[in-house]
């Protein structure tokens, strides 16, 4: 979906296909047929943006077979779909029964992360619509925090420097500008937007910036205005924003609140949980750990890294952090000019919801994703952006 900002520029809105995990090229093509095109039709649009997730095997198949890449581009066009952004965070196995810590491997100290991201950049130059010259790829925020020492940090920094140089060369070759966006996430080496400033300001040029995920930002209790102002002051660009909402528990000490939270503690993904205390941010790696004992004080609100559907907040006594998303969106695109032009709804946890809230059919999932995009569309038009055909 495209929108005209009051300054005349185009802002793109997509939804991320990691909600339909596929490891192979055939699986990606099936996603387009079974999910993405039906979402577009449900919204009554001639064109729909998707934030494509290409796992290692799918990306490698496209890199090694130019015919397959041309066929994918033709399939996107035929189904009324367009790609201006890729989700390069998960590498493989995102559809596994247990993902948890595996999603953070390989990290940026591993040469395979550089190789994979380079592949994605090359592919994106071929997938961009003919009238679009800028693409973005969101990626792992360096690494999970454990076992990431100074040597690993130096290796990661060198890899990102090499990547920036490769992107410069790629633009000279193709005329397409690809930018990389590190996505701060609780528990990672770069957990917050503040953590991103140091590693990014030492890199050459402006190829590599941040992806502001509004669920992650809310889970870490970051103030949107303060966070974005600090990035601006440091000269770190917001290349992409992921529109998502976290799980919020106002009174976690109450038994009924803890019971409600327990329904969201599931075995597939990590749901890092945080609370803000007078001494600073406290947290656990997973929601179940927070509920199991006294790892977190319960006299202040908890937030959990669980991407809840934007249009369907959890029932009381829980809520979502949709208001944080709205605040961030206002700051990013509600001003005289947009601070980012790539927006992506990323609710990959539909099938991890409590059983009674999960979509039972493909149609129900399509309807839910379309409802999330419709809400995001309405937020954008309320800010003065005009939806384009």
């Amino acid at each position: 979906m495209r929108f005209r900002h009051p300054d005349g520029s185009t802002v793109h809105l997509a939804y991320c296909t990691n909600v339909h995990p596929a490891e192979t090229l055939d699986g990606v093509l099936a996603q387009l047929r079974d999910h993405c095109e039906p979402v577009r039709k449900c919204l009554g649009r001639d064109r729909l943006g998707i934030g494509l997730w290409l796992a290692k095997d799918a990306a490698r198949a496209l890199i090694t077979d130019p015919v397959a890449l041309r066929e994918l581009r033709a399939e996107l066009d035929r189904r009324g779909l367009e790609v201006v952004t890729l989700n390069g965070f998960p590498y493989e196995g995102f559809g596994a029964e247990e993902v948890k810590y595996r999603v953070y491997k390989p990290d940026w100290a591993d040469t395979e992360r550089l190789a994979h991201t380079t592949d994605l950049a090359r592919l994106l130059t071929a997938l961009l619509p003919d009238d679009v010259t800028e693409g973005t790829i969101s990626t792992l925020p360096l690494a999970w925090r454990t076992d990431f020492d100074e040597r690993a940090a130096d290796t990661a920094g060198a890899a990102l420097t090499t990547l920036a140089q490769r992107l410069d060369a790629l633009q000279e070759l193709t005329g397409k500008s690809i930018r990389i966006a590190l996505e701060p996430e609780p528990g990672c080496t770069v957990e917050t937007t503040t953590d991103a400033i140091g590693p990014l300001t030492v890199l050459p040029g402006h190829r590599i910036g941040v992806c502001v995920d509004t669920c992650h930002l809310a889970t870490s209790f970051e103030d949107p205005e303060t966070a974005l102002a600090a990035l601006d002051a440091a000269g770190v660009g917001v290349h992409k924003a992921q529109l998502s909402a976290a799980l919020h528990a106002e009174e976690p000490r109450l038994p009924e609140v803890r019971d409600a939270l327990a329904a969201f503690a599931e075995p597939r993904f990590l749901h890092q949980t945080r609370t803000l205390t007078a001494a600073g941010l406290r947290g656990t790696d997973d929601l179940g750990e927070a509920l199991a004992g006294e790892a977190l004080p319960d006299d202040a609100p908890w937030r959990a890294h669980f991407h809840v559907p934007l249009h369907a907040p959890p029932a009381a006594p829980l809520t979502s952090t949709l208001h944080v998303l709205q605040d961030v969106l206002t700051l990013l695109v509600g001003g005289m000019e947009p601070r980012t032009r790539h927006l992506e709804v990323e609710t990959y946890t539909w099938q991890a919801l409590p059983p009674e809230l999960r979509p039972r059919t493909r149609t129900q999932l399509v309807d839910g994703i379309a409802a999330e995009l419709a809400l995001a569309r309405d937020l954008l038009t309320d800010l003065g952006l005009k939806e384009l055909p």
Side-chain angles (χ1 to χ4, degrees):
M1 301 167 78
R2 297 187 183 192
F3 297 82
R4 181 73 67 209
H5 190 274
D7 78 339
S9 63
T10 300
V11 173
H12 295 265
L13 172 67
Y15 89 90
C16 186
T17 63
N18 64 355
V19 66
H20 323 297
E23 301 293 318
T24 65
L25 181 54
D26 285 344
V28 171
L29 294 172
Q31 290 174 351
L32 305 184
R33 179 193 67 225
D34 296 339
H35 299 286
C36 302
E37 185 179 18
V39 170
R40 176 183 65 76
K41 291 180 175 179
C42 186
L43 288 164
R45 306 295 304 158
D46 294 332
R47 173 172 55 189
L48 178 69
I50 58 171
L52 196 60
W53 175 58
L54 295 173
K56 174 196 67 172
D57 289 345
R60 180 46 48 179
L62 292 167
I63 283 289
T64 57
D65 188 348
V67 174
L69 180 55
R70 288 195 296 269
E71 290 176 348
L72 173 58
R73 172 61 192 276
E75 187 73 356
L76 289 166
D77 293 341
R78 188 171 75 83
R79 298 194 181 278
L81 305 169
E82 66 177 14
V83 175
V84 303
T85 189
L86 300 179
N87 188 331
F89 194 137
Y91 178 72
E92 63 182 341
F94 202 61
E97 290 185 5
E98 182 177 330
V99 178
K100 298 289 184 180
Y101 295 96
R102 291 172 53 190
V103 76
Y104 307 106
K105 293 293 185 179
D107 62 32
W108 275 102
D110 187 325
T111 56
E112 185 51 41
R113 177 60 68 170
L114 172 60
H116 178 61
T117 308
T118 301
D119 284 349
L120 294 180
R122 290 173 57 193
L123 294 173
L124 186 52
T125 63
L127 296 176
L128 287 174
D130 292 340
D131 62 342
V132 174
T133 59
E134 294 184 355
T136 55
I137 302 171
S138 49
T139 188
L140 178 75
L142 298 186
W144 186 251
R145 69 183 186 279
T146 55
D147 298 325
F148 193 76
D149 55 18
E150 186 175 345
R151 181 177 179 181
D154 290 342
T155 302
L160 290 170
T161 297
T162 298
L163 179 62
Q165 294 166 346
R166 291 178 179 178
L167 296 177
D168 286 341
L170 192 61
Q171 183 171 4
E172 289 187 16
L173 180 66
T174 66
K176 307 289 187 178
S177 174
I178 307 300
R179 294 180 297 175
I180 305 301
L182 269 64
E183 182 185 330
E185 175 168 316
C188 291
T189 300
V190 175
E191 174 159 338
T192 66
T193 55
T194 300
D195 294 336
I197 291 173
L200 292 182
T201 51
V202 300
L203 297 177
H206 295 87
R207 289 283 181 193
I208 303 176
V210 299
C211 170
V212 174
D213 183 302
T214 57
C215 170
H216 301 172
L217 184 140
T219 300
S220 294
F221 287 86
E222 290 195 77
D223 174 68
E225 187 169 5
T226 302
L228 294 179
L231 292 175
D232 284 349
V236 175
V238 179
H239 295 337
K240 175 178 177 178
Q242 288 178 324
L243 309 184
S244 52
L247 196 61
H248 180 93
E250 186 68 20
E251 298 182 276
R253 69 182 182 280
L254 299 178
E256 60 268 27
V257 174
R258 299 177 82 90
D259 288 344
L261 283 170
F264 288 85
E266 52 83 36
R268 186 169 174 185
F269 299 110
L270 278 186
H271 301 294
Q272 301 94 314
T273 304
R274 300 289 185 266
T275 187
L276 192 60
T277 72
L281 199 65
R282 292 273 303 276
T284 61
D285 284 355
D286 215 346
L287 178 57
E289 181 185 349
L291 292 168
E294 299 180 356
L296 285 187
D298 60 5
D299 56 351
W302 287 4
R303 288 179 179 172
H305 173 215
F306 195 116
H307 291 225
V308 297
L310 302 186
H311 69 293
L318 303 178
T319 59
S320 82
T321 60
L322 181 63
H323 64 285
V324 176
L325 183 161
Q326 292 173 293
D327 290 345
V328 172
L329 201 57
T330 299
L331 292 165
L332 287 177
V333 301
M336 297 296 292
E337 59 183 28
R339 293 156 88 168
T340 187
R341 290 189 292 274
H342 290 181
L343 306 172
E344 179 183 76
V345 171
E346 198 213 13
T347 304
Y348 60 84
T349 44
W350 276 95
Q351 300 300 339
L353 289 166
E356 67 275 11
L357 300 179
R358 294 175 196 168
R360 291 181 172 82
T361 65
R362 186 182 297 165
T363 299
Q364 288 180 345
L365 178 58
V366 165
D367 290 345
I369 293 169
E372 290 195 280
L373 283 165
L375 184 146
R377 174 197 62 204
D378 292 345
L379 293 177
L380 290 171
T381 56
D382 287 348
L383 290 172
L385 283 73
K386 180 181 179 181
E387 187 177 7
L388 298 175

